[in-house]
């Protein structure tokens, strides 16, 4: 390598940071990774819900099109943990559950008139065929879908879902985001008539995170948890000083995998054009409650809520996907809600949140009794879901920040696909390749960024 071994600091121990750290160490660099959480894994991390039983803070599954993460799982030798299981989706509307696992179920969606069901089917089939998503950059999902479906069908189905997911920002979301969701579900099936299968890592995503962390250690990465840089300062010759627990640590390059507002705080000297892109990165937050139940709540894994009165975006019954026998016979249900951090729910205590949510479960299953709840947990994430506005390809922050040897890889750069662990692995792989090439070429890495060059517009 032209420049020899470099010392690189990686900030953030989620899927992007761990993947980037592994690749940089494999390329011969000396890597230190800081994760301020107690445990590695970021948004995909799991915790012990019962003796020897782990479950993610936030519900997680994979799609069959998630090639980058599946390749990593193979590479790490844990493919025997990856299961592909039938998905089981439903809609909650008009006070009842409507299964929605294919065209026949769509035709039976009795809470909208028959010709609305046909229209939804035709619009979905059309979107599945669209490959040129660029034209969806100029129109909001709300406007496009309302026109395509008609006001009533939109309001009762996809509009209700958009409102549940994006709240006050629902009207800002570009149609590209919605197209990306449809595209994902289409490419995730082996054939259009196939029953959709979703992936899960038996034993939880911690199996992958631990294997990745072990591979990092074996490649020489120093993994530091429970702390991270509070400040980054540029020093001579494009080197960086990270202030960690009040002590300065010098590195040749920094790879930040933190949400955009955090990088803005860490590195106040970013070029204004780049800082403006970070300021423009908006996210929905998420609050997720997990209930351990003695009985199943329903027979659906993924229940979309198309009812504005219910305080959830979705009810995800994990043990209708993985068998309860893997969970000591208990039933685990996630109550998920996306929201803005000024929403009253965000500041409720865990107990208040559970007390507010639980009465609604009787609407989903009239037999439900609060006594079924053995235990509950609540988790919060500020940067849960990037909000993709119109013409986002022109607004994506580049990997190169414009400051020498300071790089960013986070979920706001995933486009046109929606964020997900697969794409964080892809970000980590791509960013490491770029950093490596920059360092090898000893190029002037702080060269002004080409603001017009979108990052990774076409899916692989
Ligand atoms: C509710 C919910 C459901 C989801 N469902 C799925 C799903 O079904 N399938 C799927 O594939 N994906 C899902 N995702 C998305 C997926 O988990 C994320 O896209 C992915 O894990 C992000 O990884 P990352 O490394 O890019 O970021 P993160 O996981 O956010 O990692 C960034 C890390 O940086 C750390 N950090 C921040 N500041 C500092 C600092 N100063 N010093 C040190 N460390 C710092 C944070 O603690 C964090 O661990 C879901 C996410 C949520 C919120």
């Amino acid at each position: 390598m032209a420049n020899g071994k470099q010392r690189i600091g990686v900030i953030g121990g989620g899927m992007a940071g761990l993947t980037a750290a592994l690749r940089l160490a494999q390329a011969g660099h000396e890597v230190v990774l800081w994760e301020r959480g107690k445990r590695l894994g970021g948004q995909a991390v799991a915790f012990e819900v019962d003796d020897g039983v782990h479950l993610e803070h936030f519900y997680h599954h994979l799609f069959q099109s998630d090639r980058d993460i599946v390749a990593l799982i193979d590479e790490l030798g844990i493919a025997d943990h990856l299961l592909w299981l039938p998905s089981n989706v439903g809609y909650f509307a008009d006070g009842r559950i409507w299964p929605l696992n294919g065209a026949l179920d769509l035709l039976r969606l009795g809470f909208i008139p028959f010709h609305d069901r046909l229209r939804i089917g035709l619009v979905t089939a059309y979107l599945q065929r669209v490959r040129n998503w660029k034209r969806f950059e100029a129109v909001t999902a709300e406007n496009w879908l309302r026109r395509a479906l008609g006001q009533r069908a939109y309001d009762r189905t996809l509009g209700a879902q958009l409102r549940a997911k994006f709240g006050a920002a629902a009207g800002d979301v570009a149609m590209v985001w919605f197209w990306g969701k449809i595209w994902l579900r289409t490419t995730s099936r082996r054939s259009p008539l196939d029953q959709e299968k979703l992936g899960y890592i038996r034993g939880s995503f911690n199996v992958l995170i631990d294997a990745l962390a072990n591979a990092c250690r074996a490649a020489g990465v120093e993994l530091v948890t429970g702390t991270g840089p509070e400040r980054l300062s540029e020093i001579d010759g494009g080197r960086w000083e990270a202030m960690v627990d009040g002590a300065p640590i010098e590195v040749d390059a920094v790879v930040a995998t933190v949400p955009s507002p955090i990088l803005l705080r860490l590195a106040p000297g970013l070029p204004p054009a780049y800082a403006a892109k970070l300021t423009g990165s908006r996210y929905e937050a998420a609050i997720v409650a997990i209930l351990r139940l003695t009985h199943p709540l329903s027979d659906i894994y993924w229940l979309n809520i198309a009812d504005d009165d219910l305080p959830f975006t979705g009810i995800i019954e994990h043990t209708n996907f993985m068998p309860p026998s893997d969970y000591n016979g208990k039933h685990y249900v996630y109550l998920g809600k996306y929201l803005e951090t000024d929403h009253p729910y965000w500041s409720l205590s865990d107990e208040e949140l559970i007390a507010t949510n639980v009465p609604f479960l009787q609407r989903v299953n009239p037999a439900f009794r609060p006594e079924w709840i053995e235990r509950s947990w609540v988790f919060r994430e500020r940067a849960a879901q990037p909000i993709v506005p119109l013409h986002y390809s022109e607004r994506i922050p580049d990997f190169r920040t414009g400051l020498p040897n300071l790089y960013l890889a986070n979920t706001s750069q995933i486009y046109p696909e929606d964020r997900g662990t697969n794409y964080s692995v892809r970000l980590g792989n791509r960013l490491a390749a770029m950093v490596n090439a920059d360092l090898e070429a000893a190029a002037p890495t702080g060269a002004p960024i080409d603001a017009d060059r979108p990052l990774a517009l076409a899916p692989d």
Side-chain angles (χ1 to χ4, degrees):
M1 183 177 359
N3 257 9
K5 188 168 173 169
Q6 308 274 335
R7 185 164 159 77
I8 302 172
V10 175
I11 312 178
M15 292 309 301
L18 285 168
T19 307
L22 176 64
R23 300 305 180 215
L24 289 166
Q26 286 171 335
H29 299 293
E30 186 185 327
V31 181
V32 53
L33 178 147
W34 297 286
E35 165 52 53
R36 73 176 175 189
K38 282 198 215 103
R39 208 193 182 290
L40 296 165
Q43 293 182 25
V45 76
F47 68 112
E48 194 168 17
V49 283
D50 207 346
D51 289 341
V53 178
H54 291 82
L55 191 65
E56 293 72 26
H57 290 183
F58 306 111
Y59 42 88
H60 269 73
H61 58 236
L62 297 177
F63 294 98
Q64 293 189 61
S65 49
D66 285 347
R67 291 197 298 270
D68 300 74
I69 198 165
V70 170
L72 181 64
I73 288 169
D74 283 344
E75 180 185 334
L76 294 170
I78 52 165
D80 53 330
H81 284 260
L82 180 57
L83 307 178
W84 292 101
L85 304 163
S87 77
N88 177 4
V89 177
Y91 237 71
F92 185 81
D94 268 4
R96 60 161 280 201
I97 293 173
W98 306 83
L100 191 53
N101 290 305
L104 277 180
D105 285 341
L106 176 63
L107 293 179
R108 294 189 196 114
L109 276 191
F111 64 93
I112 45 172
F114 190 72
H115 60 270
D116 281 356
R117 300 173 220 166
L118 282 179
R119 210 161 159 182
I120 292 173
L122 288 173
V123 168
T124 312
Y126 167 76
L127 287 172
Q128 286 171 341
R129 299 173 71 86
V130 171
R131 288 288 167 273
N132 176 14
W133 50 268
K134 278 295 248 181
R135 62 199 151 114
F136 292 145
E137 286 212 294
V139 57
T140 63
E142 188 177 66
N143 283 345
W144 195 92
L145 290 169
R146 190 181 275 151
R147 231 175 305 140
L149 299 177
Q151 182 73 37
R152 180 185 46 210
Y154 171 78
D155 266 346
R156 299 298 317 273
T157 58
L158 304 179
Q161 274 183 268
L162 266 181
R163 286 193 297 277
K165 182 129 193 181
F166 291 101
D172 302 338
V173 176
M175 184 58 195
V176 177
W177 181 84
F178 191 84
W179 168 84
K181 285 285 187 200
I182 299 278
W183 180 82
L184 182 70
R185 305 307 281 233
T186 313
T187 51
S188 189
R189 282 183 163 84
R190 303 243 186 264
S191 88
L193 295 177
D194 250 14
Q195 150 99 53
E196 182 185 50
K197 287 204 169 127
L198 299 174
Y200 188 69
I201 301 171
R202 192 172 203 179
S204 87
F205 273 61
N206 279 1
V207 172
L208 169 59
I209 292 159
D210 292 346
L212 191 48
N214 286 338
C216 282
R217 283 190 200 97
V221 178
E222 184 190 351
L223 296 172
V224 182
T225 50
T227 190
E230 301 111 36
R231 192 70 148 198
L232 296 170
S233 318
E234 202 182 336
I235 49 178
D236 291 344
R239 303 191 73 234
W240 285 87
E241 183 183 271
M243 195 59 78
V244 181
D245 292 335
I249 296 174
E250 287 189 21
V251 288
D252 298 300
V254 175
V255 166
T257 65
V258 299
S260 301
I262 297 187
L263 182 65
L264 273 171
R265 283 200 298 276
L266 285 174
L270 288 166
Y274 194 80
K277 287 190 170 180
L278 298 190
T279 312
S281 300
R282 291 163 61 207
Y283 301 86
E284 280 289 289
I287 300 195
V288 170
I290 303 179
L291 306 178
R292 181 164 83 207
L293 303 180
T294 50
H295 298 60
L297 180 68
S298 77
D299 56 3
I300 301 282
Y301 163 53
W302 191 278
L303 188 60
N304 289 304
I305 306 295
D307 183 329
D308 290 334
D309 295 340
L310 255 65
F312 326 114
T313 311
I315 298 180
I316 294 94
E317 191 157 348
H318 183 77
T319 37
N320 286 337
F321 179 42
M322 287 292 288
S325 52
D326 272 32
Y327 298 86
N328 294 341
K330 302 296 178 187
H331 303 264
Y332 286 90
V333 176
Y334 290 93
L335 308 177
K337 176 152 185 73
Y338 288 90
L339 72 181
E340 296 79 52
T341 50
D342 59 1
H343 190 287
Y345 270 28
W346 185 253
S347 38
L348 291 182
S349 69
D350 293 2
E351 295 70 29
E352 287 168 334
L353 190 89
I354 298 287
T356 314
N357 280 347
V358 163
F360 288 97
L361 297 180
Q362 242 147 11
R363 303 257 297 270
V364 177
N365 176 358
F368 169 81
R369 295 287 166 266
E371 302 77 66
W372 292 3
I373 304 176
E374 282 192 351
R375 236 189 124 170
S376 63
W377 300 261
V378 175
F379 296 98
R380 298 171 175 77
E381 169 60 45
R382 281 179 181 273
Q385 170 68 57
I387 299 171
V388 173
L390 296 183
H391 302 292
Y392 190 53
S393 60
E394 293 156 26
R395 303 195 197 183
I396 303 174
D398 203 346
F399 280 166
R400 296 190 181 97
T401 63
L403 291 178
N405 302 325
L406 175 61
Y407 298 86
L408 173 71
N410 72 22
T411 56
S412 76
Q413 295 162 323
I414 297 165
Y415 188 73
E417 307 93 342
D418 192 21
R419 59 84 172 111
T421 48
N422 178 65
Y423 302 105
S424 291
V425 169
R426 187 173 81 182
L427 282 179
N429 284 332
R430 288 185 178 175
L431 179 67
M434 176 189 274
V435 173
N436 207 27
D438 280 355
L439 292 174
E440 262 193 17
T445 53
I449 55 160
D450 176 358
D452 293 331
R453 186 171 58 79
L455 173 70
L457 294 186
D460 287 341

